[in-house]
Every structure is written in structure tokens, then in C-alpha cells.
Amino acid sequence: MGVAVMTPPVRVLVVDDDALVRAGLTMMLDGAPGLAVVGEADDGDKVPAATDAHHPDVVLMDLRMPRVDGITATRRLRARPRPPEIIVLTTFDTDENILHALRAGASGFLLKDTPPARIAEAIRQVAAGEPILSPRITRRLMDRVSVQAGAYARATAVLAGLSPRERDVVVAIARGRSNAEIGAELDMTLATVKTHVSHVLTKLGLDNRTQIALLAHDAGLV
């Protein structure tokens, strides 16, 4: 009989300027299977030190904080070596700042009224390399944001360097498909899908699948 290998819990850092929100999230997530809240921060300026101290796998990041907002904190964190994944947690589902946060490198976003079980599952999903793309909210945000002058041309030029198969994967990602769903649609093995995704990220100089989806949207592929 083999020896069971215990999978370490996903380490979570909670960043929010509201002490009650932090306490509620910590209580909820510490009771969820496979998760452990390892630290808290009450403003974006404290995120680097908290990350160094606690080594989280996933950061739950509020958007609106007094000194350093979540977008700036996300951008700074993603610029560091081997950064954790970041989920923006906000009450503003129509705020354009959410889209800016995704472009800054966040792996996705959730609303603060999301059911606890869904937040816990989202953290596990992001930690496993599957960023959160809520179809309803992401579609609304993308539809509301005006494409800036030249964005289409820039996105098209960047994507021109991809192979036809890589472009197929990009479109599938932009449609919110998981790796398994992409494999089924494009008749690829899961390993092949992961290889294509990795190549796309490297070629495009992007951090995650969310940014791939945004680029595909700018290029009018979805």
C-alpha cells in the first residue's frame, strides 16, 4: 500500500482596509478545505512586506484603499519575481478599475457578495493555474470599455506572431474555456493545450490567461 501524500493548503493573503471584511474572509476561508489564511494587510502599501513575510499562493485584493489602491498594488506585486496569483475582490461590478486591474496582472475578480463556497473554489482554481473569468461580469466590462485608438491595430500586430493553432487556443481562452474544454473542442491532449498556453504567454509577454482574453477582445477575435 502506498503512502498517502498530503497536499499542502493554498496559502491566502487577505488585503482589505475594512477590518470586518478581513475578519469575515479569514474566518470563512480558514474553515474551507485546502485553504489557509496566512496573513492580512489593511492597505496596498503593506502588500509587499506581507507577501515577503507570509509567502502566499493567492492574494485577495480589495480595489479601493486609502493609501495605495488595489490596481497599483497588483501592478507592483506582479512586477516582482515569482509573484503570487491575485484575485480582485470588489463591490463595484461596473467599475472600469476592475478591467484596469486585470490588465495590471490580476488573475480575475469576484464580487464581495459572492457565496463563500464560490470564493473558496475560485482561490483553489486560480492557485491551480486557471484564472477566474466570470462570463457575465467580464462580458459586461468588455462591452462597456471603448477600445482606445490604435488598440485594435496593436493587438492585431501582437497576435500576428502566433501560429494558427495558437490563435485557436487564444480564441478559446477568450471565450472562457478551461484547458479541458479547449482540448475537447480542438482535439488536443491536455498536455498539448498547456504547452500552447505556455507558448502564447511567452510570445505575447503576458502574465496570465485573463490578459490573453483582453488582447483577443481588442483584436476583435471574440
Side-chain angles (χ1 to χ4, degrees):
M1 181 180 294
V3 177
V5 177
M6 296 295 291
T7 301
V10 176
R11 299 169 62 84
V12 182
L13 174 68
V14 176
V15 182
D16 199 292
D17 62 331
D18 189 323
L20 289 178
V21 171
R22 294 198 309 275
L25 286 170
T26 296
M27 182 180 301
M28 175 190 75
L29 296 175
D30 261 345
L35 302 181
V37 176
V38 295
E40 300 178 9
D42 62 8
D43 207 293
D45 61 351
K46 296 182 180 178
V47 170
T51 300
D52 290 340
H54 303 294
H55 306 289
D57 302 304
V58 177
V59 176
L60 281 184
M61 183 81 75
D62 189 21
L63 271 187
R64 297 188 174 182
M65 293 177 284
R67 295 184 297 276
V68 174
D69 63 77
I71 295 171
T72 301
T74 295
R75 186 178 298 111
R76 290 175 179 174
L77 196 54
R78 290 302 306 179
R80 307 180 82 199
R82 302 178 63 85
E85 301 295 340
I86 302 166
I87 297 177
V88 169
L89 194 62
T90 180
T91 56
F92 305 100
D93 66 331
T94 61
D95 194 330
E96 189 174 326
N97 283 342
I98 300 174
L99 187 56
H100 291 321
L102 296 179
R103 293 189 186 280
S107 298
F109 64 87
L110 295 171
L111 299 180
K112 287 184 177 178
D113 62 359
T114 300
R118 175 57 183 145
I119 294 178
E121 179 56 32
I123 293 171
R124 297 188 197 97
Q125 184 176 337
V126 164
E130 295 279 352
I132 304 302
L133 286 172
S134 169
R136 175 177 65 87
I137 300 176
T138 301
R139 187 73 260 164
R140 284 172 59 187
L141 283 171
M142 287 181 171
D143 288 344
R144 290 185 181 195
V145 174
S146 302
V147 178
Q148 298 176 352
Y152 171 81
R154 287 194 299 271
T156 301
V158 170
L159 293 171
L162 300 181
S163 70
R165 209 55 170 157
E166 289 169 343
R167 288 176 67 87
D168 291 340
V169 171
V170 165
V171 171
I173 290 173
R175 290 173 176 161
R177 305 292 193 264
S178 67
N179 284 346
E181 290 169 336
I182 294 172
E185 288 183 6
L186 301 180
D187 194 25
M188 297 179 183
T189 66
L190 188 58
T192 300
V193 174
K194 290 181 178 179
T195 298
H196 278 309
V197 173
S198 178
H199 287 170
V200 167
L201 289 170
T202 299
K203 283 185 176 182
L204 302 183
L206 301 178
D207 294 315
N208 56 51
R209 296 161 69 102
T210 304
Q211 292 175 329
I212 292 176
L214 295 172
L215 188 66
H217 179 268
D218 285 349
L221 298 181
V222 290

